[in-house]
Every structure is written in structure tokens, then in C-alpha cells.
Amino acid sequence: MKISILIPVFNEEETMMQILDKVSSVNIFHIKKEIIVIDDCSTDRTAQILMKSGNKIKYLRNEKNRGKGYSVRRGIKVATGDVMIMQDADLEYDPNDYEKLLKPIFDGKANVVFGSRFTGEHNNLFFTHFIANKFITFLIDVFFNTTLSDVEVGYKVFKKSLLDKINLREDRFSFEIEITAKILKLKEKIFEVPISYTGRGYEEGKKIGWKDGLQALWCVFKYRFFV
């Protein structure tokens, strides 16, 4: 078995090498892994840093800024692993949680696993983000008859065979809602595990905003009733 770690990135020069070091050094059940970094047309030194990393990674660069969903789709297309892990580049999520996330898949209990920031150790969760996420998660639970706790979480793990059944279209952060809804429409059960989370503020480069929240809300209805 092989693991593909997909890292969409935009303007993360401060944390890029740290996350690459963490991902490269983590041992995942002694299984082979590939690291795929998709640079969403960064305007800082991210591209230069990545090009110096040599053959440790597969490096893709978007021709213009397209968003997280678009970048993840590009990563999936070139991935050769049996299992995909989504990894943000901002150090909010800890690669030491990989084994915890992968265990339900390796044990044959699930084809998809979500981390949950609300059942694990965490700090610096913005109250407005917390409320928005809880409301969107509540709507997903009601409309799809499930009991998820954190649909906007950045740690999502999938079998490649499952992703091959799904046609993803969302370019930006609403990708998180789209992929959740389409998996639930396939009657797949999403396994959740607690993860650690160290949030950052906007002054440290956090990018998601209120417009993304509104788009996510629309996508809940769109992918439940119209698509």
C-alpha cells in the first residue's frame, strides 16, 4: 500500500519547510508515501522554497490562483497512492495524527476518515468560525441523516478507489462541503477520529473568511437538493 499526501499551498513561506520536514519524517506504519505539493500561484517565496526541496516532493504550480478545491483536484490526478491524505501547510494540523487517521482504513472499518478538532486537543478556535462550522455541520447532519462533528476539518483521508467515483467541481474552500455531501450520497459512512489542532490568526496568514462561510452554506443546499 502507498499513501499520497496532498498539500495545497498559497503564500506559506513562513511554514513551508517546517510542514515538509514534519510530513517527510513522520512514519506511517512503515508504508511508502509520496508528497504532492500544489502551489496555488503563490506571490511570496513559497515557490522558490519548494523548488529547492528537490525530489522529496512532486511539485505542481497553478497558472493562476484558483483555490484549495482546484489544487486538491490537480493533486488527485497525479497521485499514485492507494490512500489520499489532505494536509494544510500552515501547521494548524499535526502529521503525527496520520496513524490515528489511517487506522480505521487499514483495519477495514472505513473508506473515508475525517479528523475532528472538537473531540481532540485544540486551541485558538475563533468563536465566529466555531459557530459557523457547527451550524453548517448541523445542516449536513440533518439533510444527510448523519452525526458528523466537524465537516470543515482540513484532515480528510480517502481511499483512492472512492475518490475515483466522485466528480469534484468546487474550486475554493467549499470543496470541503462538496466532497462530504457527495460521499454521503454514495451511502458511505464517514469515520471520525479526534485530532489535535493549533489554530492561527489572520495576522499569521489565515485565509478563510465570511464569504467562504456563505459559499459553504449555499453548497450544503446545492449538493443536497440540486446536484
Side-chain angles (χ1 to χ4, degrees), residues 149-206:
S149 66
D150 189 7
V151 299
E152 296 278 13
V153 68
Y155 265 168
K156 293 180 170 70
V157 183
F158 312 89
K159 282 188 177 179
K160 180 65 159 52
S161 56
L162 174 59
L163 288 179
D164 288 341
K165 300 176 183 177
I166 300 172
N167 179 27
L168 295 170
R169 304 190 305 182
E170 294 293 324
D171 282 351
R172 310 203 73 81
F173 289 110
S174 48
F175 148 84
E176 309 284 6
I177 302 303
E178 178 191 17
I179 199 165
T180 303
K182 289 184 174 179
I183 285 169
L184 292 171
K185 279 189 172 183
L186 289 175
K187 305 301 180 186
E188 286 284 346
K189 293 182 179 178
I190 298 173
F191 205 102
E192 276 192 315
V193 298
I195 58 167
S196 58
Y197 178 74
T198 305
R200 65 176 180 171
Y202 287 103
E203 70 283 356
E204 299 170 288
K206 196 171 187 67

Side-chain angles (χ1 to χ4, degrees), residues 122-133:
H122 61 266
N123 72 344
N124 197 32
L125 284 166
F126 287 110
F127 180 73
T128 50
H129 291 182
F130 172 80
I131 293 298
N133 187 20

